[in-house]
Amino acid sequence: MRSDEIKKGNQRAPNRSLLRSLGVTDREMDLPFIGIANAWSDIVPGHVHLRTLAQKVREGITAAGGVPFEFGVIGICDGIAMGHEGMRNALPSRENIADSIELMAQAHCFDGLVCVGTCDKIIPGMLMAAARLNIPTIVITGGPMLSGHLAGKELSLIDVFEGVGRQAAGKMTESELCELECAAMPGCGSCQGLYTANTMACMTEALGMSLPGCAATPAVDAAKLRLARETGERIVPLVKEQVLPRQILTEQGFSNAIKVDMALGGSTNTVLHLMAIAQEADVPVTLDTFRDIARITPHLCHMQPAGPYSMEALYYAGGVSAVMNRLAGSLDDVMTVSGKTVQVIARDHPVKNKQVIAPLTAPVHAAGGLKILRGSLAPDGAVIKCGAVDEAMWKHQGPARVFNGEKDAMDAIIERKIKEGDVIVIRYEGPKGAPGMPEMLSPTSALMGQGYTRVALVTDGRFSGGTRGPCIGHVAPEAAAGGPIGLVNEGDTIRIDLFADTIDLLLSPEILQKRRKEMVPHKKSVTGVLARYAALVGQANKGAVLRNG
């Protein structure tokens, strides 16, 4: 066992002495040592209940013949961080999470690892660490929050974000906004729709790194406790059989996950995160991978924010495994941490509600829920959740309204300085330029809340999974890296064509070259972790991972 390095032989007497001080017995010295990376905190709704889940994991590990050792992992709540300077820290936290788990597991020679987490950057960071370490690992995600309710309507966090726009437009009173705020989020769990946290939980299950049923099971359901117990029990056989993450995180495994992503219509952030995880696993996943799979995979689930269905509805419809049942004919039959192959899992989980998980013969859209765009404005690519865009806006051409940052754009939207037909450009919000590539749920929700129907938004930053409408993110190269988005002037014409997968700045190469020579980059003064991040981070079209050296 890997842990023998710290507990076998006379030279390890000091190490064993320290282990004994923890209460480890002679018998346990011969058992597998299992690390539990727990992202519990009481500032993140998706994590506030993870102590309870981790306890069930501990019980499962002990029952299966392992010794559990729990340690903490940070977690940022993107919703609380949204709309202010704190959001710049969210994406960099993914790298911190991966690094901290790698450091703990390597230093203490764990034989296996259970990752307990829920939200946006936490699960990707955990999977990145699993791929790096390549020791037996299994993930238990904390589960979605139940829907809020008000006046007979199901609510989620996005209703509150859009409520800010409605209140600013005079469509809602301040007291009505307060009532909405108090009703939308009834307890623990990740935000209710298919936003980034829940999409990444679905990706974890589709990749085969969590047990069947894990992603959609609500945080407060007793089934989640049973899944946590079973997760703890399962890690010990994985150690004994030496089933390693890189045997599961294969090219076929990523292909399966991306197909599920397209069928669900998941968050644009999956493009960043799956590419980052794939790089750690040495698997070739690029924007073209997403583009090609999107073209042949139908969009089957009309999930919030684009459609009416919450994660709770997906759970009762059969969850991710039932989506895999629908896609079984196109999925590779690879192994998962459960010990069952993908096809066995798909066969055993039929669809329970065809309104929530549509049949292949009657999809929500014929192609996947995400699109990769390229053109003169985004030579290296951009991403849009096309499944959340009204078809009337699939082709749009309009004047650019240019902002060197989210705050100025948000002020213009709230003050009604944006006109129908405009293309809002928010730049210097990419991985390097922001730095940190913040999500921009506030301006996109404000646009929806105020009732705009023919305004597009383009940015080198990114969006929350809660964003809907014609919002194009991850524009690469970003402005801070010399990308064409940094050359756009107020009033320039931008053309978007989702049918052709293009986004273009309608200027001649000569004008662009002249502007490039005159361009003065917009730079932000940062220190500490953000300064290090800005110096090392790569572009969004490669997953915004830190470069080595």
Side-chain angles (χ1 to χ4, degrees):
M1 288 188 293
R2 192 166 179 265
S3 59
D4 287 349
E5 186 68 27
I6 61 171
K7 63 187 184 184
K8 295 293 184 182
N10 291 337
Q11 291 185 5
R12 294 294 175 248
N15 310 64
R16 287 194 299 274
S17 184
L18 289 164
L19 290 167
R20 291 182 192 281
S21 77
L22 302 173
V24 177
T25 66
D26 284 342
R27 183 185 69 84
E28 289 175 324
M29 289 291 185
D30 294 324
L31 301 179
F33 281 10
I34 309 298
I36 303 174
N38 185 1
W40 173 87
S41 75
D42 59 7
I43 185 62
V44 185
H47 291 177
V48 72
H49 63 304
L50 295 186
R51 275 180 170 171
T52 304
L53 291 187
Q55 181 57 40
K56 300 301 288 186
V57 170
R58 294 179 71 96
E59 292 172 10
I61 291 170
T62 302
V67 185
F69 295 94
E70 189 174 347
F71 60 94
V73 174
I74 68 165
I76 289 173
C77 177
D78 282 22
I80 295 174
M82 195 74 67
H84 57 87
E85 288 296 307
M87 191 65 217
R88 305 190 190 286
N89 298 277
L91 187 58
S93 76
R94 183 188 71 181
E95 318 304 309
N96 178 289
I97 290 160
D99 290 349
S100 64
I101 294 173
E102 179 188 7
L103 291 167
M104 286 294 288
Q106 294 284 42
H108 299 103
C109 297
F110 293 135
D111 296 301
L113 188 65
V114 178
C115 295
V116 185
T118 304
C119 291
D120 299 45
K121 312 308 168 299
I122 294 82
I123 295 301
M126 288 175 164
L127 289 171
M128 290 167 70
R132 284 184 201 172
L133 289 163
N134 205 32
I135 62 173
T137 302
I138 188 168
V139 179
I140 171 78
T141 50
M145 187 185 298
L146 297 181
S147 296
H149 290 271
L150 182 65
K153 180 189 174 186
E154 270 195 344
L155 299 174
S156 76
L157 180 64
I158 306 310
D159 291 289
V160 187
F161 272 98
E162 294 187 2
V164 173
R166 288 198 295 275
Q167 193 273 329
K171 299 178 180 180
M172 174 182 281
T173 67
E174 191 171 328
S175 62
E176 287 172 333
L177 178 61
C178 181
E179 187 179 15
L180 175 64
E181 166 192 331
C182 294
M185 308 296 283
C188 67
S190 48
C191 301
Q192 301 97 328
L194 192 67
Y195 315 141
T196 304
N198 287 323
T199 306
M200 285 311 303
C202 292
M203 294 301 93
T204 305
E205 185 176 333
L207 280 166
M209 289 297 292
S210 60
L211 295 179
C214 188
T217 302
V220 297
D221 198 304
K224 182 62 73 173
L225 296 176
R226 296 192 291 271
L227 279 163
R229 167 73 183 225
E230 291 164 0
T231 296
E233 292 175 351
R234 181 60 190 150
I235 187 60
V236 177
L238 289 176
V239 169
K240 291 179 178 177
E241 297 161 15
Q242 280 300 287
V243 177
L244 305 178
R246 292 194 187 192
Q247 295 170 323
I248 294 169
L249 298 172
T250 62
E251 193 166 353
Q252 294 79 13
F254 280 99
S255 175
N256 287 345
I258 295 170
K259 287 171 185 173
V260 171
D261 190 15
M262 295 304 165
L264 286 167
S267 165
T268 52
N269 283 312
T270 57
V271 178
L272 278 180
H273 295 324
L274 288 176
M275 284 197 294
I277 297 160
Q279 286 186 56
E280 299 290 359
D282 290 327
V283 172
V285 174
T286 68
L287 289 183
D288 289 343
T289 310
F290 286 86
R291 179 201 64 195
D292 294 345
I293 291 175
R295 288 173 176 173
I296 61 171
T297 307
H299 178 203
L300 302 178
C301 303
H302 209 193
M303 303 289 292
Q304 296 173 356
Y309 299 117
S310 65
M311 286 298 292
E312 193 177 348
L314 181 65
Y315 171 61
Y316 287 113
V320 171
S321 298
V323 177
M324 292 164 64
N325 179 283
R326 282 280 196 246
L327 298 173
S330 66
L331 299 179
D332 288 297
D333 195 23
V334 293
M335 185 53 67
T336 71
V337 291
S338 69
K340 299 176 180 178
T341 67
V342 163
Q343 290 294 340
V344 170
I345 292 170
R347 182 198 66 204
D348 292 345
H349 292 85
V351 173
K352 298 177 182 177
N353 186 330
K354 67 180 181 181
Q355 277 71 47
V356 178
I357 307 173
L360 296 175
T361 53
V364 179
H365 297 103
L370 299 178
K371 274 186 176 287
I372 305 301
L373 310 182
R374 286 188 173 88
S376 60
L377 188 59
D380 292 340
V383 183
I384 185 169
K385 187 192 285 190
C386 58
V389 181
D390 189 290
E391 196 163 304
M393 282 296 288
W394 274 46
K395 289 185 77 169
H396 180 74
Q397 184 170 309
R401 302 295 309 280
V402 183
F403 303 93
N404 290 332
E406 178 188 4
K407 183 181 183 303
D408 290 345
M410 184 66 176
D411 290 345
I413 293 167
I414 292 297
E415 293 167 13
R416 303 286 294 180
K417 293 180 179 178
I418 303 301
K419 298 178 181 178
E420 291 283 18
D422 286 349
V423 179
I424 299 170
V425 175
I426 305 177
R427 63 192 181 191
Y428 294 103
E429 295 288 17
K432 183 182 180 69
M437 202 181 183
E439 292 180 343
M440 297 184 199
L441 182 57
S442 296
T444 61
S445 295
L447 286 169
M448 293 294 108
Q450 290 192 345
Y452 287 103
T453 60
R454 295 198 56 78
V455 173
L457 193 153
V458 180
T459 181
D460 52 9
R462 59 194 180 91
F463 300 116
S464 160
T467 292
R468 62 189 178 99
C471 301
I472 298 166
H474 306 196
V475 169
E478 62 177 300
I485 191 171
L487 306 177
V488 183
N489 284 351
E490 188 84 3
D492 288 346
T493 301
I494 293 173
R495 182 174 62 206
I496 299 162
D497 189 341
L498 301 191
F499 296 102
D501 299 346
T502 57
I503 177 167
D504 291 296
L505 176 60
L506 300 186
L507 293 175
S508 70
E510 292 76 20
I511 292 175
L512 288 175
Q513 186 62 29
K514 182 175 183 293
R515 287 187 186 178
R516 189 175 296 282
K517 289 178 181 177
E518 298 169 352
M519 180 182 179
V520 178
H522 181 81
K523 291 187 177 180
K524 297 189 177 97
S525 177
V526 290
T527 59
V529 66
L530 289 181
R532 293 197 301 275
Y533 186 83
L536 294 173
V537 70
Q539 290 296 286
N541 64 306
K542 299 289 182 68
V545 297
L546 298 187
R547 301 184 297 270
N548 290 323

